[in-house]
Amino acid sequence: MIPQIAHITRVIQENRTVRTFELDTSLEAEPGQFLMLWLPGEAEKPISIMDPDPLTVTVSRVGPFSSALHRKQVGDPVGWRGPFGRPFTVQGSHLLLVAGGYGAAPLHFLARRACEAGIATTLAIGARTAEGLVLVERFRQIGCATVLATERGDAGHQGLVTEAVVNDLTRYDRVCACGPEPMLYAVARMCWEAGVPAQVSLERYMKCGFGICGQCAMGDKLVCRDGPVFDIEELRDNEDFARFTRNATGRRVPL
Ligand SMILES: Cc1cc2nc3c(=O)[nH]c(=O)nc-3n(C[C@H](O)[C@H](O)[C@H](O)COP(=O)(O)OP(=O)(O)OC[C@H]3O[C@@H](n4cnc5c(N)ncnc54)[C@H](O)[C@@H]3O)c2cc1C
């Protein structure tokens, strides 16, 4: 698939390290799907769809690619291929979304679809400090209730986001989560214990994005093609879940 080119129309500084980029294009996609974002002269990386219309992504500055994107300004070109991957299922009557870091991005798209479908939706978002609680106002604007948790205790519940929701879990008939894998494992464990169905969006190093290169193998699954969204039941016996990942050379290493 050859990348298409779009241009940046708006850049929003979410906090010191996270920016949201709106592009002058839209696409048909489902919540949880991702793009391979390409910066001409730089690399191509998987990035979640925060909103499909206009196409919007939220990117944390962590290394060379994301820093190069953060240097881009309104009018600059960006390439993209996609959408790729298996999306979240939009169903139920009361949905709990659990977000950590830029994991809030695909959950924002999911929240929009769920609210449009009349599903009561609660976002539980966790971060080390209040500054890391990104996109919260946007979730509120589309009609989500919010539960905040910070490890420092400068906003919401003091502690982990899973601790903030574990006692209320059976109020929800479905949980969807995206964020760091230890958080996703904690979500899966509490949902297994409470018998609440859940889906989690996983991250692995990806090169092609559609199942050719095998870089994102996780046990017997390819995260780009069989995921990134998995039912937690599919992960019960996956020995890589929250234990092993693959580095840029494809070597299986502890997470
Ligand atoms: C399905 C999916 C959706 C993602 N959505 C977002 C998003 O919405 N916003 C966001 O900020 N980031 C997202 N990421 C992560 C993003 O692809 C990379 O972390 C980021 O582009 C790192 O590139 P870098 O050169 O800035 O940093 P590097 O210094 O190269 O890497 C920093 C970290 O990112 C990981 N990484 C680097 N390259 C890749 C790659 N090709 N595939 C997967 N992980 C990589 C590394 O393992 C490392 O942990 C997503 C990843 C996946 C797999």
Side-chain angles (χ1 to χ4, degrees):
M1 191 187 280
I2 296 168
Q4 304 189 48
I5 298 291
H7 293 85
I8 296 171
T9 52
R10 198 166 162 226
V11 181
I12 303 153
Q13 188 83 39
E14 305 288 355
N15 66 21
R16 264 182 303 163
T17 53
V18 178
R19 284 187 186 170
T20 294
F21 298 86
E22 273 181 27
L23 306 178
D24 63 351
T25 191
S26 63
L27 81 166
E28 292 284 320
E30 297 299 323
Q33 289 191 298
F34 65 93
L35 302 172
M36 294 301 289
L37 207 66
W38 173 57
L39 296 180
E42 305 276 347
E44 193 186 39
K45 298 282 175 178
I47 299 291
S48 303
I49 299 166
M50 196 272 250
D51 222 312
D53 185 19
L55 179 55
T56 307
V57 294
T58 296
V59 176
S60 176
R61 179 166 41 79
V62 293
F65 175 83
S66 48
S67 299
L69 182 61
H70 275 230
R71 286 194 293 275
K72 301 288 177 200
Q73 297 174 354
V74 169
D76 285 343
V78 175
W80 58 276
R81 296 186 289 129
F84 295 119
R86 214 164 55 140
F88 288 108
T89 311
V90 185
Q91 70 176 51
S93 57
H94 198 172
L95 182 64
L96 174 67
L97 309 179
V98 186
Y102 57 77
L107 295 179
H108 175 269
F109 182 11
L110 175 61
R112 182 189 286 287
R113 282 286 166 84
C115 291
E116 282 166 4
I119 299 171
T121 306
T122 297
L123 168 75
I125 182 166
R128 268 197 285 280
T129 67
E131 203 212 351
L133 300 173
V134 293
L135 308 180
V136 172
E137 270 318 306
R138 287 172 189 257
F139 280 87
R140 288 181 178 148
Q141 279 162 17
I142 56 179
C144 280
T146 54
V147 175
L148 311 182
T150 51
E151 287 169 53
R152 191 195 280 172
D154 49 346
H157 166 88
Q158 177 163 18
L160 301 176
V161 65
T162 40
E163 295 162 359
V165 292
V166 66
N167 293 330
D168 286 339
L169 207 55
T170 49
R171 285 179 53 205
Y172 305 96
D173 53 13
R174 196 171 184 81
V175 175
C176 293
C178 186
E181 203 156 315
M183 184 200 94
L184 299 181
Y185 188 70
V187 169
R189 252 198 3 220
M190 72 184 189
C191 290
W192 282 323
E193 278 165 19
V196 179
Q199 292 183 311
V200 295
S201 178
L202 293 181
E203 226 177 73
R204 284 292 179 275
Y205 204 106
M206 285 179 195
K207 286 174 182 162
C208 72
F210 57 96
I212 301 288
C213 73
Q215 165 76 49
C216 65
M218 180 186 170
D220 61 350
K221 312 272 189 221
L222 290 178
V223 173
C224 72
R225 187 198 62 197
D226 304 321
V229 175
F230 292 94
D231 255 65
I232 57 170
E233 293 313 316
E234 296 174 278
L235 298 173
R236 262 192 201 269
D237 301 323
N238 193 309
E239 59 184 30
D240 284 7
F241 183 33
R243 291 190 195 93
F244 291 95
T245 188
R246 283 177 194 274
N247 65 19
T249 68
R251 180 190 289 268
R252 187 167 174 261
V253 292
L255 194 69

